[in-house]
Amino acid sequence: MALKRNHAATPTGGVMLSGIEVTMPANDALSFLMAWTVAPFRVGSVTPSSSSLAALMTREIGPETGPVLELGPGTGPFTRALLSRGVKEEDLTLIESDSDFAALLRRRFPAARIFEMDAVGLRHLSLFHRPATGAAVSGLPFRLISPRRTFAILEAVFANLRPGAALYQFTLGLRCPFDQSLLDRLDLGVTRVGHTFRNFPPATVYRIARLKTSGTYDWRIA
């Protein structure tokens, strides 16, 4: 399958998308486009996230964060950004439902824990002995996921996050992808982190966190 004209590779190794150069490996763009063609409602986008979006998604995360959970990493743009922020590869737990992407992630990030599964299954899986995860990063297309499944995923994510930790979620839409009624049920609040035009389409990043936390918590000594 050949890339369409408006998805041409650039001399810098990026990809031109409707006249905007977005930094990503051309072969990743092709892999993502092929996956989207097979399952558009599961992948949710025709291209992987850009380096600009990855930087925005991970800018509040660093080596002090500790273990990080990533949902729907795809070809790994957020994973690479997390590593560049100083997160240890062995501190990464990646949840990917696509078998081809999961195999690619195992090759690229051999020290990470990788689960080939639907994120809904997290509610039946004990990832850690206690809620020790310092952050969660999501590339899932929640606008295409039913409210019931979204609730199950969020509930499972926050069951693994330690107090004060947050989920970082991007959207290609004009508002937060989570309905207020669902957030209220889980006692979650939303903060807009930022927006980037250097993604195709442009994207906005949100931080989702518990509204109430009890005291302080240090995952390194708990």
Side-chain angles (χ1 to χ4, degrees):
M1 179 183 296
L3 290 172
K4 295 181 180 179
R5 183 181 303 175
N6 64 342
H7 288 67
T10 68
T12 62
V15 175
M16 288 296 296
L17 301 172
S18 297
I20 300 175
E21 182 178 357
V22 179
T23 305
M24 68 179 75
N27 59 329
D28 281 9
L30 179 57
S31 297
F32 221 86
L33 179 60
M34 293 176 67
W36 179 87
T37 302
V38 173
F41 292 104
R42 184 175 65 187
V43 178
S45 175
V46 297
T47 62
S49 300
S50 68
S51 60
S52 176
L53 176 55
L56 185 60
M57 282 281 284
T58 60
R59 74 179 187 184
E60 297 182 355
I61 301 174
E64 71 285 351
T65 303
V68 175
L69 174 65
E70 184 176 357
L71 308 179
T75 58
F78 298 162
T79 316
R80 288 191 293 269
L82 288 167
L83 294 175
S84 71
R85 296 288 188 190
V87 178
K88 297 179 181 178
E89 187 171 318
E90 57 266 30
D91 278 340
L92 295 174
T93 298
L94 313 180
I95 309 298
E96 176 55 59
S97 63
D98 185 275
S99 59
D100 291 335
F101 286 157
L104 177 65
L105 293 167
R106 291 189 186 98
R107 294 195 298 272
R108 289 183 172 178
F109 312 107
R113 290 200 305 169
I114 299 171
F115 293 89
E116 185 182 327
M117 58 180 289
D118 191 308
V120 173
L122 283 174
R123 59 183 171 174
H124 305 301
L125 181 67
S126 296
L127 294 176
F128 306 95
H129 296 302
R130 62 183 186 276
T133 311
V137 176
S138 170
L140 297 179
F142 277 105
R143 285 295 179 195
L144 303 178
I145 300 175
S146 71
R148 179 180 61 82
R149 290 169 62 83
T150 295
F151 181 89
I153 294 171
L154 290 181
E155 187 176 43
V157 167
F158 280 91
N160 285 285
L161 291 180
R162 65 178 183 258
L167 164 68
Y168 294 87
Q169 175 70 45
F170 80 93
T171 181
L172 307 178
L174 300 177
R175 61 185 181 86
C176 178
F178 305 118
D179 291 338
Q180 188 60 50
S181 59
L182 185 148
L183 295 171
D184 290 342
R185 289 176 61 193
L186 292 168
D187 196 29
L188 300 176
V190 175
T191 303
R192 186 179 185 273
V193 175
H195 182 84
T196 178
F197 287 102
R198 296 188 65 80
N199 191 72
F200 185 81
T204 303
V205 173
Y206 292 92
R207 181 195 312 111
I208 298 91
R210 295 281 191 193
L211 290 174
K212 300 175 183 177
T213 57
S214 56
T216 60
Y217 184 92
D218 191 334
W219 66 274
R220 292 164 294 187
I221 61 176

